[in-house]
Amino acid sequence: MTFKTQLASAIMLGLMGLSAQAGELTIESWRVDDKALWEEHIIPTFNKTHPDIKIKFAPTAPTEYNASLNTRLSGGTAGDLITCRPFDISLELFTKGQLTDLSQLEGIKNFSDVAKSAWQTDDGKATFCMPMASVIHGFFYNQDIFKELELAVPNTEEEFFAVLEKLKGSKYTPIALGTNDGWETHQTVYTNIGPNYWKGEEGRKQLVEKKAKLTDPQFVAPYTQMAKWSAYMGNGYQSQTYGDSQNLFALGRAAIYPGGSWDIAYFNTNAEGMKYGAFKPPVAKAGDKCYISDHTDIGMGINPASKNVKEAEAFLNWLASAEFAELYTNKVSGFFSLSNHSINVTDPVAAEMVSWRKQCDSTIRLNAQVLNRGKDDLETAFWNAGQAVVNVTAKPEEAAAKVQAILDK
Amino acid sequence: MTYSLKNVPWHILVFLLPGFVIYTLFSALPLLDTMILSFFRDSSLGREFIGLANYQHVLTDPNMSAEFWNALWNNVKFFLIHVFVQNPIGLLLAALLSLKDLRGARTYRTLIFMPTLLSVVIIGFIWQLILSPLWGVSTTIMGAVGLEGWFQPWLGKESSALITLALISVWQFVGIPMMLIYASLLAIPDELLDAAYVDGASPMRIFWQIKLPLILPTLGLVTILTFIGNFNAFDLIYAVKGALAGPNFSTDILGTYFYRTFFGFQSNLGSPTLGATVATLMFLIILAGVMVYFYIVQRRLHRYPM
């Protein structure tokens, strides 16, 4: 063998080493926070029954995920299993041929139509991601602070603002919320308190069918409430980040934290010993029907370019099993399995939140389905609107009108 | 004399070749490719030629053009703050450093130049912490001198976020104009200054009427470098405010606008062809600025032989 052929074969071997071995699956995900849970619990449990399939969990930061996943899919370097955002974002990947049709897969039978609807074509013929979990929005409160100041958990808006007013006189920050990052004001505030005003699915469908506008009272009212919040937020909230808010609540310096069930895992690991509970978005009058944002948030599909489709299908079928549902719901607290198996939720706060499903009607985030389609970024417009309202730089009506203008195009 | 292969200056060509090849491969061709890409559109049929439609979309679509002009205007403000804050301070520092009997000049020079060497991500993180209303030291420090009431969440307010970021950038990069001007101040021959001194010129007059005209070409160079740097800026804004450049796009400059267009953001999928259009527009803006400088400003600058 000459030196040249030696070198060439060495390079070839090196390249083969870089590419994944047969039977090894890589998972693309935005759940950076869950990396340890996947590596320590989920993958080992899967390997008990499938010892020959190796799995690597390779997450990207949430705000980068869509952009970088697109680049990797187009460039042919994406992993075998793709964690799916709900609705239009994944639908677009499917129409571009970057996700496989899973309709014939055995495990898909374990899910209800509502669960599947987040990852189906408009005609419902093809399902392209295995539903994994939903998240529920609500408010967290520090039980020690509430006990110290003799506050009761608010059920109505009036009670809610009475609690805030009392907290304002104390040494605690009433609401742990910042507007620096923007997205919280939309995803954890507007779509959290909003469904009570627009009557959940009813209002959302009217918006999708263009029978209602964002400038209608039921869609402006949440902004009007948000404008009143600024008086109860921490000093300098305009440059407070999401991480700052989480810290502020975890350190026991703030009493109420508007968020979602996905925060439970964070507080359980970073605020050990803090006693906290959850309450659902307050309704206008006592006895009003309540609505919660119960968002089908996360699913998983197969990259058609994968060389290990058989293994990937085996993994997805396991994702549909009762074993995974139990494991995911209780290990990744705050993500509720969407499968039909009945699961016992062990975390008290997560159990409280999931119990709201029985008392209230569920809806998904306002603009997740159909509305986001188009060249302009409706989601960003919503973030900016929420941010401007809470920063008191725009009136609720102006903010709503600005988003409606993009929706009208 | 006839031309023959012998007369070709081979050595010059050979010496130019590596630079020419590298520049062509990694700079000129990608630039050309970007420009070509901006005339296409991705559709289900593949890439199709659409002429100037992308430019029309960026410049006239109500939403895209509003963001584009906003980013451009913010970029102009970002640049003006650098020109009128960074460069005068750089000049002042250089003038002070070149004083003959300044003690510890080297230490000052190193300290002032230090932030330039740090990563922008670190700079952004440090300043975010310093200015944080929750954990930052600003409130404490301002409280010590009785100014606590003046503290504002500067990075979070629409009215002040861009100015704050520009000043952070000035703080970081002030070392570069200082060094360039300092070097050209040192290059002024002592005889000239001595002669002026003997003629009875005051130090102020020496600075304004002898030193300053001699370093004007350097000041011009510093300005044009600042212009190019600012209109290509991206990293500091991205590190501190993210690709959304909030609040309400108040810190959005062409770099972050390009990022969102090319790579996409959240539910907005990126478009390589529209991104190429924005990149080409940025290139044209910078080109126009540099041409104005070379054809109008630099021709009028008089270079004195020293």
Side-chain angles (χ1 to χ4, degrees):
Chain A
M1 221 195 278
T2 62
F3 175 71
K4 262 188 189 168
T5 47
Q6 271 179 1
L7 189 71
S9 52
I11 290 171
M12 284 301 289
L13 278 175
L15 287 176
M16 278 160 70
L18 285 178
S19 66
Q21 292 158 1
E24 183 175 291
L25 300 172
T26 306
I27 301 179
E28 299 275 356
S29 174
W30 68 88
R31 289 297 304 167
V32 182
D33 293 357
D34 301 342
K35 193 165 195 286
L37 293 165
W38 275 87
E39 281 163 1
E40 285 160 26
H41 298 288
I42 299 174
I43 298 171
T45 312
F46 173 71
N47 280 344
K48 272 181 202 154
T49 46
H50 300 80
D52 48 335
I53 303 179
K54 281 210 179 80
I55 296 176
K56 201 175 117 203
F57 187 71
T60 321
T63 47
E64 314 277 316
Y65 180 69
N66 299 355
S68 65
L69 176 68
N70 274 317
T71 317
R72 281 201 291 272
L73 279 171
S74 311
T77 56
D80 309 273
L81 292 161
I82 311 290
T83 306
C84 303
R85 299 270 194 192
F87 300 103
D88 299 348
I89 295 176
S90 295
L91 179 62
E92 181 142 352
L93 293 181
F94 177 69
T95 40
K96 277 202 280 182
Q98 292 173 334
L99 282 173
T100 314
D101 184 0
L102 304 178
S103 312
Q104 304 307 317
L105 217 58
E106 183 63 29
I108 210 94
K109 294 187 185 107
N110 296 342
F111 296 91
S112 70
D113 287 343
V114 178
K116 284 187 286 192
S117 71
W119 296 282
Q120 275 179 332
T121 46
D122 290 351
D123 56 11
K125 277 187 186 144
T127 308
F128 40 83
C129 294
M130 191 70 81
M132 280 170 71
S134 71
V135 291
I136 296 176
H137 293 204
F139 292 80
F140 297 112
Y141 67 100
N142 185 314
Q143 287 170 330
D144 289 332
I145 298 178
F146 268 53
K147 203 182 268 171
E148 184 192 324
L149 301 174
E150 293 169 357
L151 298 169
V153 172
N155 288 314
T156 64
E157 242 175 75
E158 204 185 323
E159 287 169 16
F160 180 62
F161 278 98
V163 165
L164 290 180
E165 198 53 47
K166 273 196 193 144
L167 280 165
K168 204 182 172 187
S170 73
K171 62 179 174 173
Y172 303 107
T173 305
I175 303 178
L177 176 73
T179 57
N180 186 72
D181 300 357
W183 66 269
E184 303 104 296
T185 56
H186 179 61
Q187 293 187 358
T188 73
V189 184
Y190 187 72
T191 60
N192 182 3
I193 63 172
N196 276 332
Y197 294 96
W198 62 69
K199 296 195 167 41
E201 284 295 277
E202 191 186 320
R204 191 182 71 81
K205 286 200 169 122
Q206 281 173 352
L207 202 62
V208 171
E209 287 157 13
K210 294 196 181 289
K211 285 178 189 153
K213 281 176 181 287
L214 286 168
T215 44
D216 292 345
Q218 70 269 33
F219 294 106
V220 177
Y223 282 134
T224 315
Q225 193 195 135
M226 281 157 70
K228 287 196 269 177
W229 283 23
S230 60
Y232 306 103
M233 286 158 61
N235 195 17
Y237 66 85
Q238 293 95 331
S239 56
Q240 181 178 327
T241 63
Y242 176 60
D244 287 341
S245 308
Q246 282 184 318
N247 271 323
L248 204 60
F249 186 70
L251 290 171
R253 280 170 51 178
I256 295 173
Y257 175 93
S261 54
W262 66 88
D263 286 311
I264 293 175
Y266 176 88
F267 291 135
N268 284 352
T269 45
N270 292 287
E272 265 177 275
M274 177 182 70
K275 278 197 216 145
Y276 71 104
F279 62 86
K280 49 184 183 287
V283 291
K285 288 196 306 291
D288 276 1
K289 175 136 197 64
C290 60
Y291 297 86
I292 53 163
S293 176
D294 182 0
H295 189 62
T296 42
D297 190 53
I298 184 167
M300 197 175 282
I302 299 175
N303 180 358
S306 166
K307 291 194 180 67
N308 308 308
V309 176
K310 276 270 159 314
E311 286 84 357
E313 285 178 348
F315 183 75
L316 286 193
N317 277 329
W318 181 73
L319 277 195
S321 69
E323 185 181 35
F324 175 80
E326 169 86 46
L327 190 67
Y328 198 67
T329 308
N330 287 320
K331 281 291 176 215
V332 191
S333 300
F335 283 88
F336 306 108
S337 165
L338 287 163
S339 67
N340 294 332
H341 313 285
S342 80
I343 304 296
N344 203 10
V345 181
T346 50
D347 182 88
V349 184
E352 163 74 29
M353 293 183 97
V354 83
S355 76
W356 299 342
R357 280 180 179 165
K358 295 199 187 92
Q359 308 155 24
C360 311
D361 277 357
S362 295
T363 179
I364 57 163
R365 282 186 200 148
L366 187 65
N367 54 314
Q369 194 182 23
V370 182
L371 296 179
N372 275 343
R373 290 173 199 175
K375 257 189 181 167
D376 294 324
D377 196 352
L378 186 72
E379 181 77 15
T380 308
F382 267 122
W383 295 9
N384 283 340
Q387 200 177 34
V389 166
V390 181
N391 282 353
V392 208
T393 51
K395 289 204 178 79
E397 298 79 17
E398 291 168 6
K402 221 173 158 188
V403 187
Q404 180 63 37
I406 288 181
L407 206 50
D408 280 338
K409 289 216 298 186
Chain B
M1 198 175 90
T2 54
Y3 283 101
S4 73
L5 279 178
K6 269 189 183 165
N7 289 340
V8 177
W10 286 110
H11 61 288
I12 295 180
L13 289 183
V14 167
F15 281 125
L16 281 177
L17 196 67
F20 179 77
V21 167
I22 290 173
Y23 179 77
T24 310
L25 267 183
F26 294 105
S27 239
L29 282 181
L31 182 67
L32 202 67
D33 198 36
T34 305
M35 287 177 164
I36 294 170
L37 188 60
S38 71
F39 299 119
F40 286 82
R41 175 175 68 182
D42 283 324
S43 68
S44 47
L45 306 163
R47 219 149 248 184
E48 63 175 307
F49 182 79
I50 48 164
L52 290 170
N54 279 335
Y55 291 90
Q56 200 189 356
H57 184 72
V58 172
L59 296 175
T60 60
D61 175 79
N63 198 45
M64 266 216 96
S65 70
E67 276 182 43
F68 174 78
W69 295 117
N70 171 55
L72 182 60
W73 175 231
N74 283 341
N75 224 147
V76 171
K77 287 194 255 182
F78 194 69
F79 168 63
L80 289 179
I81 292 171
H82 278 80
V83 169
F84 290 108
V85 180
Q86 175 185 278
N87 296 352
I89 293 179
L91 177 65
L92 180 73
L93 290 172
L96 289 175
L97 281 180
S98 63
L99 288 179
K100 285 260 153 44
D101 38 7
L102 182 72
R103 291 174 70 191
R106 278 188 185 180
T107 318
Y108 289 131
R109 205 174 59 196
T110 315
L111 284 178
I112 295 168
F113 197 71
M114 203 85 99
T116 312
L117 304 174
L118 288 174
S119 151
V120 183
V121 180
I122 297 173
I123 302 276
F125 185 68
I126 291 173
W127 275 100
Q128 238 180 329
L129 267 185
I130 293 175
L131 295 175
S132 163
L134 290 168
W135 338 102
V137 291
S138 311
T139 35
T140 329
I141 291 175
M142 288 176 74
V145 288
L147 285 176
E148 208 172 346
W150 290 64
F151 179 80
Q152 295 283 322
W154 288 293
L155 277 173
K157 296 185 103 174
E158 260 181 68
S159 51
S160 58
L162 182 70
I163 301 169
T164 313
L165 281 166
L167 292 177
I168 293 173
S169 169
V170 165
W171 175 83
Q172 182 182 8
F173 290 115
V174 75
I176 289 177
M178 178 191 81
M179 283 303 202
L180 287 172
I181 297 168
Y182 178 61
S184 71
L185 280 174
L186 288 187
I188 297 173
D190 281 343
E191 299 90 78
L192 271 176
L193 304 177
D194 290 345
Y197 185 71
V198 169
D199 283 347
S202 66
M204 270 305 196
R205 193 159 175 207
I206 291 179
F207 178 78
W208 289 110
Q209 296 199 328
I210 295 175
K211 287 183 175 174
L212 196 64
L214 288 172
I215 60 165
L216 266 186
T218 308
L219 285 181
L221 184 77
V222 164
T223 310
I224 199 68
L225 284 178
T226 313
F227 175 77
I228 296 170
N230 285 164
F231 277 81
N232 275 324
F234 162 75
D235 35 15
L236 181 68
I237 312 271
Y238 183 73
V240 177
K241 303 301 293 185
L244 202 54
N248 198 17
F249 297 127
S250 62
T251 55
D252 198 21
I253 56 173
L254 291 170
T256 43
Y257 176 74
F258 162 76
Y259 180 92
R260 282 200 312 278
T261 319
F262 188 91
F263 291 105
F265 187 74
Q266 275 299 318
S267 64
N268 197 18
L269 293 172
S271 158
T273 52
L274 270 182
T277 311
V278 175
T280 309
L281 284 171
M282 285 170 74
F283 170 71
L284 292 177
I285 290 166
I286 294 173
L287 186 71
V290 174
M291 272 163 63
V292 165
Y293 172 75
F294 275 121
Y295 288 106
I296 298 174
V297 182
Q298 207 184 33
R299 282 186 180 187
R300 300 193 180 174
L301 286 178
H302 188 72
R303 278 170 198 278
Y304 299 92
M306 289 195 277

